[in-house]
């Protein structure tokens, strides 16, 4: 079991190759959820080809952030949210660590709910009838035990498991694509205006590369420090970008066959032949376990980055307990799923400004940080107001241009419902941070204890 949390990884314990990131991210992103994102884009009123354009643009803009944060993890030997301390201060960054933890718990809970529903449907296919609370509780608890194994063991286990799962997932989704392709009507769908198109691009970005960006360094931090930066960036980028691009387009094609394809359990299987429904449901369960594994491992690190003094394995267990509680509430409440989806729709408000500040800080430092100082809790600059003020202003800018199911910003309303929240949050936060942060940035050679 891995004992290390966000502490610096010494050079003597580094291992692996950059191409390992390709399998890690491919295994994480090759899920039914990714297909569903593509179906939602068409359900928003876009034609198939408009959906393809939104999918290409959104993923091209967002997934470079995953490659970028992966470089930082490899260079400095710690998690992405720990590196964020350079901009916000060691104590000031705790609030960002907490946001990151909430983000992961929300996605984990969404995955656990889908696993539970898919499990109930599989049991029904096997002749086991029942919608009672006891059966749901049993499935959730069994799923929780299975879900705990890989994140609890740690980094090496997660990396190896995702490598082998990737090939299984790819093979199953290729079969799914072959079955759906003859039925797809590529001329179907509406013709969305520019405002709706921007909503689609924001959905693609927020559900893809932007939401995964805070995790990049978590999985590259064990790579040898002399690893090729281009290789680290390229493999991390492609591992997420290619599956998201292809599976979202597959989802858009499915949406031209089944009108309620955005429901991955009772809707999307309608596009598949009856003999493939059970394999599809099994694929749903296993891919969601894989994605949740990555989330759960990183959420434990984020809890430490939030200033909680707890061992990594204990953070994973605590995180899963919260996730299970949320899942119980979700499966027993008709309105909770709506609330959970609304929460996930609001994560861009903090993620976009964080990304703008993270990139700006890296540019100012020319990519070089004093890694040891990120863990010094007695030195100066424990709270860096430039980063925190820029984060707050960026969140305000993102909120003004946000169009979600629970909140529509003033600028969004004034422009016909367009959504430029990610661009506004990223640019405004980055510019404000650059204007306010006037510290002399020392350039030091990287050192690892």
């Amino acid at each position: 079991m891995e004992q290390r949390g966000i502490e610096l990884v010494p050079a003597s314990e580094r291992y692996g190759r950059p191409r390992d990131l390709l399998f890690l991210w491919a295994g994480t992103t090759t899920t039914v959820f990714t297909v569903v994102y593509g179906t939602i884009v068409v359900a928003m009123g876009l034609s198939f080809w408009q959906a393809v354009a939104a999918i290409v643009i959104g993923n091209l803009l967002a997934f470079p952030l995953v490659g970028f944060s992966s470089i930082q993890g490899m260079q400095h030997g710690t998690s992405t949210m720990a590196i964020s301390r350079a901009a916000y201060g060691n104590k000031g960054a705790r609030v960002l660590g907490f946001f990151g933890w909430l983000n992961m718990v929300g996605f984990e809970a969404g995955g656990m709910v889908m696993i539970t529903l898919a499990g109930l449907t599989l049991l029904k296919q096997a002749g086991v009838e029942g919608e009672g609370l006891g059966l749901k509780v049993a499935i959730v608890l069994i799923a929780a035990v299975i879900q705990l194994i890989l994140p609890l063991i740690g980094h090496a286990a997660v990396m190896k498991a995702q490598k082998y799962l990737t090939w299984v997932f790819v093979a199953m989704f290729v079969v799914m694509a072959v079955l759906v392709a003859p039925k797809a009507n590529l001329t179907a769908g509406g013709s969305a205006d520019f405002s709706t198109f921007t909503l689609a691009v924001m959905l693609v970005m927020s559900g893809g590369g932007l939401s995964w960006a805070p995790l990049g360094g978590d999985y590259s931090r064990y790579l040898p420090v002399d690893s090729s930066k281009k290789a680290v960036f390229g493999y991390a980028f492609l591992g997420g970008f290619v599956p998201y691009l292809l599976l979202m387009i597959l989802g858009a094609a499915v949406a031209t066959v089944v009108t309620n394809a955005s429901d991955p359990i009772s809707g999307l299987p309608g596009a598949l032949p009856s003999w493939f429904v059970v394999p599809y449901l099994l694929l749903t369960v296993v891919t969601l376990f894989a994605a949740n594994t990555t989330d759960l491992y990183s959420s434990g690190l984020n809890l430490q980055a939030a200033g909680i003094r707890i061992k990594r394995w204990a953070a994973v267990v605590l995180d899963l307990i919260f996730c299970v509680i949320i899942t119980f509430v979700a499966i027993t409440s008709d309105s909770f799923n709506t609330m959970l989806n609304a929460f996930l729709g609001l994560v861009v408000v903090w993620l976009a400004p964080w990304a703008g500040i993270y990139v700006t800080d890296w540019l100012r430092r020319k990519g070089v940080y004093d890694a040891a100082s990120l863990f010094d809790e007695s030195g100066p600059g424990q709270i860096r107001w430039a980063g925190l003020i820029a984060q707050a202003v960026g969140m305000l800018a993102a909120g003004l241009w946000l169009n979600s199911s629970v909140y529509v910003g003033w600028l969004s309303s004034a422009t016909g419902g367009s959504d430029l929240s990610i661009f506004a949050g990223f640019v405004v936060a980055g510019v404000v941070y650059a204007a306010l942060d006037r510290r002399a940035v020392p350039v030091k050679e990287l050192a690892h204890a």
Side-chain angles (χ1 to χ4, degrees):
M1 185 183 297
E2 180 189 10
Q3 299 299 317
R4 179 175 287 104
I6 60 174
E7 306 95 313
L8 297 177
V9 181
S12 60
E13 296 184 26
R14 300 292 194 99
Y15 65 91
R17 294 168 292 184
R19 70 181 183 186
D20 295 337
L21 297 176
L22 176 71
F23 295 104
L24 180 279
W25 287 112
T28 296
T29 57
T30 307
T31 74
V32 172
F33 258 151
T34 308
V35 178
V36 169
Y37 280 124
T39 70
I40 294 175
V41 170
V42 172
M44 295 170 68
L46 277 71
S47 69
F48 173 79
W49 293 110
Q50 283 181 321
V52 170
I55 289 167
V56 171
I57 293 171
N59 284 311
L60 273 176
L61 291 174
F63 268 105
L65 292 171
V66 179
F68 175 76
S69 61
S70 296
I71 293 176
Q72 307 309 305
M74 177 272 292
Q75 283 187 293
H76 304 98
T78 188
S79 70
T80 299
M81 297 313 293
I83 294 172
S84 292
R85 291 175 172 178
Y88 299 94
N90 292 3
K91 294 181 178 178
R94 290 176 180 177
V95 65
L96 278 303
F98 179 71
F99 284 162
W101 176 75
L102 281 179
N103 185 32
M104 293 296 98
V105 171
F107 280 108
E108 291 160 25
M112 287 287 282
V113 170
M114 288 296 102
I115 289 171
T116 303
L117 296 177
L120 288 169
T121 306
L122 279 170
L123 290 175
K124 189 174 183 179
Q125 292 278 342
V128 179
E129 298 288 344
E131 292 288 337
L133 180 60
L135 183 59
K136 293 178 179 178
V137 169
I139 292 176
V140 172
L141 291 178
I142 292 171
V145 172
I146 296 172
Q147 186 69 81
L148 182 63
I149 296 172
L150 288 176
L152 192 64
I153 297 173
H155 182 273
V158 172
M159 298 294 288
K160 186 169 288 291
Q162 294 286 31
K163 178 179 180 179
Y164 294 110
L165 288 173
T166 296
W167 296 110
V168 177
F169 297 164
V170 168
M172 291 293 286
F173 277 112
V174 167
V175 173
M176 184 174 169
V178 170
L179 295 173
V180 170
K183 303 178 182 180
N185 180 7
L186 304 189
T187 60
S191 181
D193 57 18
F194 178 74
S195 296
T196 305
F197 185 80
T198 63
L199 280 170
V201 173
M202 293 304 106
L203 171 70
V204 172
M205 293 181 69
S206 62
L210 182 63
S211 63
W212 292 118
L215 283 64
D218 303 2
Y219 296 96
S220 62
R221 63 199 176 109
Y222 277 96
L223 290 175
V225 72
D226 59 353
S227 298
S228 166
K229 294 180 184 178
K230 291 182 179 179
V232 170
F233 177 92
Y235 282 121
F237 168 75
L238 291 175
F241 173 77
V242 173
Y244 258 69
L245 181 70
L246 297 180
L247 293 186
M248 281 189 176
I249 292 175
L250 173 60
V254 170
T256 68
V257 180
V258 182
T259 56
N260 62 337
S262 57
D263 182 343
I265 305 302
S266 61
L268 193 151
L272 304 170
S274 58
W275 64 266
F276 193 69
V277 171
V278 171
Y280 163 79
L281 290 171
L282 289 171
L283 177 66
T284 299
V285 171
V286 179
T287 58
L288 290 174
F289 272 133
N292 269 9
T293 291
T294 305
D295 286 337
L296 189 57
Y297 178 83
S298 286
S299 62
L301 298 180
N302 286 349
L303 203 58
Q304 290 185 324
I308 306 299
R309 297 184 180 278
I310 186 173
K311 291 185 179 295
R312 187 201 65 82
W313 66 267
V316 169
V317 173
L318 179 62
D319 186 83
L320 187 63
I321 291 172
F322 277 105
C323 181
V324 167
I325 293 172
I326 295 172
T327 304
F328 280 141
V329 176
I331 63 177
T332 56
S333 171
D334 293 334
S335 61
F336 192 84
N337 280 336
T338 302
M339 294 171 60
L340 181 61
N341 289 333
F343 163 76
L344 295 178
L346 294 173
V347 297
V348 299
V349 174
W350 80 268
L351 266 176
W354 166 82
I357 293 169
Y358 189 82
V359 172
T360 303
D361 190 64
W362 176 83
L363 290 172
R364 291 198 67 233
R365 297 171 181 274
K366 299 181 179 179
V368 179
Y369 294 79
D370 178 9
S373 69
L374 299 175
F375 299 90
D376 181 3
E377 296 187 357
S378 60
Q382 293 297 306
I383 296 178
R384 299 198 183 281
W385 291 107
L388 292 173
I389 292 172
Q391 179 72 29
V393 176
M395 291 174 68
L396 176 62
L400 287 173
W401 224 312
L402 180 71
N403 187 345
S404 73
S405 59
V406 294
Y407 172 77
V408 179
W410 176 75
L411 288 175
S412 176
S413 298
T415 54
S418 63
D419 189 332
L420 299 176
S421 55
I422 295 177
F423 297 127
F426 184 95
V427 173
V428 170
V431 170
V432 171
Y433 178 70
L436 293 180
D437 187 30
R438 294 303 180 187
R439 292 171 297 134
V441 180
V443 177
K444 296 186 178 181
E445 294 295 327
L446 299 180
H448 299 278

